[in-house]
Amino acid sequence: MVENEVAGRRRPSGGSLAASWRGAEEAGGASMRPMNTTRIIDLRQEYGWTQERLATESGVGLRTIQRLEAGQDASLETLSLVAEALRVSVRDLFIAIDDADLGNRVESLQSRTEDQQAARDRLTGAWRWLYIGIGVVLTLVSFTLGQYGLVVFLAYWTGGYLILVAIRRIYLEPRLEEKYPLSRSKKQRRSQRAPLTDSKPATEAPLEAQP
């Protein structure tokens, strides 16, 4: 009888044992979750930004920035906001992506971004070449107009250019933004490549405890 009592105390019930196994598996799965190697810390420090500054510039929470810098997963929307604040592509936020699902999503986003940028550049280039082509024709015609030829020449290459710029800003660019939301205009890309500095010294925020 004593042996039965001792065995009863030592042997966990089937439900408790199953629960223990499930808890161990979940803990093991959490510890083995793929971690991604990011460049966010290096990119942020190049600008002299703190984690709080990056959170403010990108419009995401400080805790989200800390998790991203620790290599944890995030939505593409969040990654896009951070990448835009740091003026790089989403793919350039990472040195290595161990999470296969995240890697596929990032590569898909990168591919769609490149396709949309190429399509936008083609349309923008078509407008520019149309303007140049018409200008060449009018220039040739102006030689046959005598004293009025110079007026036509100057009117098109000056006034026509101003009209083209106005049409591009008022009509073309808004529609390109709507049709190709992942693309950027030349002005935006020049701004993205421009060096960004901050005179404020960078002080790190303490890393919050992970849940």
Side-chain angles (χ1 to χ4, degrees):
M1 181 174 180
V2 174
E3 293 178 355
N4 292 338
E5 291 178 356
V6 173
R9 287 196 298 269
R10 291 181 178 176
R11 182 180 302 162
S13 63
S16 299
L17 184 58
S20 300
W21 286 344
R22 286 196 300 269
E25 290 173 353
E26 292 173 358
S31 63
M32 296 175 63
R33 182 178 303 165
M35 299 297 287
N36 308 302
T37 307
T38 75
R39 299 177 56 232
I40 296 177
I41 296 177
D42 294 336
L43 293 170
R44 171 173 61 78
Q45 291 178 344
E46 284 180 8
Y47 295 151
W49 287 359
T50 63
Q51 292 177 330
E52 290 93 338
R53 175 68 185 274
L54 178 56
T56 300
E57 294 290 336
S58 60
V60 304
L62 173 60
R63 190 175 181 82
T64 299
I65 297 298
Q66 292 172 337
R67 287 177 173 175
L68 285 174
E69 291 188 352
Q72 297 185 17
D73 196 359
S75 68
L76 286 182
E77 180 182 2
T78 297
L79 291 172
S80 296
L81 291 172
V82 174
E84 186 172 355
L86 292 173
R87 300 182 177 183
V88 297
S89 67
V90 172
R91 184 65 186 85
D92 289 339
L93 291 177
F94 298 92
I95 298 174
I97 303 178
D98 295 332
D99 188 327
D101 179 62
L102 176 61
N104 291 335
R105 287 187 287 134
V106 169
E107 292 300 332
S108 175
L109 176 64
Q110 184 71 19
S111 177
R112 286 186 287 120
T113 300
E114 291 173 356
D115 290 343
Q116 290 191 18
Q117 188 64 59
R120 178 171 183 162
D121 289 344
R122 283 195 298 269
L123 285 175
T124 304
W127 276 76
R128 183 171 59 252
W129 282 110
L130 177 63
Y131 167 74
I132 293 174
I134 294 175
V136 170
V137 172
L138 287 180
T139 299
L140 296 175
V141 172
S142 67
F143 291 125
T144 66
L145 300 179
Q147 59 182 354
Y148 299 105
L150 180 60
V151 175
V152 172
F153 177 85
L154 294 177
Y156 182 80
W157 288 109
T158 55
Y161 176 76
L162 295 176
I163 293 174
L164 178 67
V165 170
I167 291 176
R168 187 177 62 189
R169 291 182 178 178
I170 297 173
Y171 176 81
L172 183 61
E173 293 295 343
R175 281 157 180 76
L176 291 176
E177 292 284 349
E178 182 179 353
K179 188 172 183 179
Y180 306 113
L182 298 177
S183 65
R184 295 291 181 268
S185 67
K186 283 191 173 182
K187 182 178 180 180
Q188 290 171 326
R189 281 180 286 173
R190 282 196 299 268
S191 174
Q192 190 175 39
R193 290 192 294 265
L196 180 62
T197 57
D198 193 340
S199 58
K200 296 181 180 179
T203 56
E204 295 294 334
L207 181 63
E208 298 181 14
Q210 301 296 328

